[in-house]
Amino acid sequence: MSGEAMIGRAMAREGVVGGEDVRAARERIGDRVRPVVLAPAGERLWFALEFLQHTGTFKARGALNFTTAALEAGAMPEAGIAIASGGNAGLACAWAAGQRGIPATVFVPENAPPVKVARLRELGADVRPVGREYAEAAEACDAFVAERGALASHAYDHPLIAAGAGTLLDEIVAARPSVTTVVVAVGGGGLFAGVAAAAAAHGVRVVAVEPEHCRALNAAVEAGEPVDVPVDSLAADALGARRASADALAWALRPGTRSVLVPDAAIAAARRSLWNEHRVAVEAGAATALAALETGAYAPSPEEEVCVVLCGANTDPSDLAA
């Protein structure tokens, strides 16, 4: 049995990722991730500064959960872990693997931001650029796994990855129990699925925000099933998944969640406002969540207390100084 099959059978629960998975991830990860910091951002508005996390994004949580679970299950092959990623998931995978001396091979699109590729190499990953989209890098990763026997991780579509990301919500509620709504950017839906799974136990609403032209989750909700979508957005390096996960769709169809879209112009404006008003430099994917509030794509009611997750800052901030 391959390492991937072993970890799938040994560690992944059947069905949609849920609160029990998030609780298990929290115990597995322990204190090896940085607790989220909440910063006041306005009247009944908070920013979750998850870009302060190891490797600069929330994805360190899921990567560490996945890697630790594989080691605990005895399912880590000599070839280590392989992943296809536009950058952030690969960074998290490389970091988590490096914590345990495990090889990491990361397949990235050829247009991945140079700042992320450079950091991947600093973390010791074997970086392999392939194609122009995530899907092409994923095909190359699959071939590598089949040939070399590496354990395939995923940027978002795995219950251990999603559950690890969901630990963020528990920390937000612990830090600010009065929060009623959490707003997150969505690519393939790993963060959204994990956060929604954790939020259900706390009665917290989750708003999923996507660029108009990177709308994998929104299109899945519309179709009633995961579907392929075109990818064309300034936030595509982080949010450019062609298809949302089944777990993300399952949670998006439940009460207490909402899917909204924002244009690229609004994402760019939100990124600039975060810098100009708060001196926070984040990538376009992170600014996407705030754009939902700034455009009115999501308009909170007066009684809501909102937390916007600023999920990543692996960016070149030089364009913000103009």
Side-chain angles (χ1 to χ4, degrees):
M1 181 181 296
S2 70
E4 183 177 16
M6 288 173 65
I7 192 172
R9 191 171 78 175
M11 299 305 302
R13 297 174 63 246
E14 294 184 0
V16 177
V17 62
E20 182 178 335
D21 300 289
V22 177
R23 288 190 292 273
R26 188 168 62 246
E27 293 180 5
R28 191 177 289 120
I29 292 171
D31 61 1
R32 288 180 290 171
V33 295
R34 295 170 179 158
V36 70
V37 174
L38 297 192
E43 184 70 24
R44 300 177 68 79
L45 177 63
W46 298 83
F47 289 156
L49 308 184
E50 185 62 1
F51 59 83
L52 297 175
Q53 188 54 259
H54 294 291
T55 74
T57 77
F58 72 94
K59 288 181 179 288
R61 296 172 181 269
L64 188 58
N65 190 40
F66 180 87
T67 302
T68 304
L71 289 168
E72 290 176 351
M76 185 63 69
E78 288 187 13
I81 295 177
I83 188 171
S85 166
N88 286 337
L91 288 168
C93 179
W95 170 78
Q99 297 297 300
R100 299 299 186 90
I102 298 166
T105 305
V106 182
F107 292 80
V108 301
E110 293 171 354
N111 57 353
V115 65
K116 294 182 180 180
V117 173
R119 182 59 179 149
L120 279 168
R121 293 190 169 119
E122 288 174 7
L123 289 167
D126 177 1
V127 184
R128 304 194 181 193
V130 179
R132 300 289 295 176
E133 292 186 10
Y134 168 79
E136 295 172 276
E139 290 176 3
C141 184
D142 289 343
F144 177 83
V145 167
E147 178 184 348
R148 299 288 298 274
L151 177 64
S153 185
H154 198 278
Y156 59 88
D157 194 4
H158 192 286
L160 290 166
I161 298 294
T167 60
L168 170 64
L169 187 281
D170 286 340
E171 292 178 12
I172 289 172
V173 173
R176 189 73 185 177
S178 53
V179 165
T180 63
T181 305
V182 173
V183 184
V184 298
V186 177
L191 175 62
F192 168 74
V195 165
H202 298 286
V204 171
R205 178 184 295 105
V206 183
V207 180
V209 190
E210 297 171 278
E212 287 181 345
H213 301 297
C214 280
R215 56 183 293 263
L217 180 60
N218 187 266
V221 170
E222 197 173 85
E225 62 181 354
V227 294
D228 287 344
V229 298
V231 172
D232 183 17
S233 170
L234 61 85
D237 65 296
L239 307 182
R242 188 179 290 177
R243 175 180 288 240
S245 72
D247 277 3
L249 174 59
W251 280 106
L253 293 174
R254 297 190 185 192
T257 63
R258 177 142 172 220
S259 169
V260 302
L261 301 175
V262 293
D264 271 12
I267 295 170
R271 183 169 174 264
R272 286 193 301 271
S273 71
L274 281 165
W275 174 250
N276 291 333
E277 298 175 22
H278 302 279
R279 277 302 184 258
V280 170
V282 299
E283 57 195 85
T288 298
L290 180 60
L293 299 183
E294 292 192 343
T295 62
Y298 183 75
S301 60
E303 65 270 15
E304 288 183 68
E305 185 166 339
V306 179
C307 181
V308 176
V309 177
L310 301 181
C311 57
N314 289 317
T315 186
D316 181 352
S318 61
D319 60 338
L320 292 172

